[in-house]
């Protein structure tokens, strides 16, 4: 899994590439936790995400609950959807 973070004030954009599964979900969750502060808009670009497991879904749901603003997933491929 590779991630790219782009923060612009209160907006955080993350691009995720590869697999978000049992092995990579803790790392992704940690990255999110370290970057939540002051964020009111979170966009996760899933264009290059090829697989997501229930562990990855749990991280996304947890992130949604913790957000004090809007969160959206973009470019979600058919296989991941």
């Amino acid at each position: 899994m590779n991630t790219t973070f782009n923060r612009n004030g209160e907006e955080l954009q993350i691009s995720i590439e590869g697999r978000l599964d049992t092995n990579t979900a803790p790392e992704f969750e940690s990255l999110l936790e370290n970057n939540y502060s002051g964020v009111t808009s979170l966009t996760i670009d899933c264009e290059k995400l090829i697989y997501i497991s229930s562990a990855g879904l749990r991280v996304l749901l947890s992130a949604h609950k913790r957000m004090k603003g809007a969160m959206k997933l973009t470019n979600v491929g058919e296989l991941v959807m």
Side-chain angles (χ1 to χ4, degrees):
M1 175 192 73
N2 293 315
T3 56
T4 304
F5 284 75
N6 183 17
R7 184 156 183 178
N8 185 11
E10 296 176 343
E11 296 179 17
L12 177 60
Q13 297 177 340
I14 303 170
S15 296
I16 185 166
E17 180 179 344
R19 298 171 61 90
L20 185 54
D21 56 21
T22 305
N23 295 323
T24 58
E27 176 187 351
F28 188 64
E29 185 172 38
S30 178
L31 290 170
L32 285 172
E33 288 175 0
N34 292 331
N35 289 283
Y36 275 131
S37 182
V39 172
T40 60
S41 175
L42 174 62
T43 302
I44 301 175
D45 184 351
C46 300
E47 182 177 14
K48 296 181 180 177
L49 184 65
I50 60 171
Y51 175 79
I52 188 165
S53 71
S54 59
L57 289 172
R58 181 190 58 77
V59 171
L60 294 179
L61 289 171
S62 176
H64 184 259
K65 288 180 181 180
R66 294 184 72 179
M67 279 301 302
K68 295 191 176 13
M71 178 183 152
K72 65 182 174 181
L73 303 177
T74 61
N75 303 314
V76 180
E78 187 176 321
L79 185 61
V80 172
M81 184 65 78

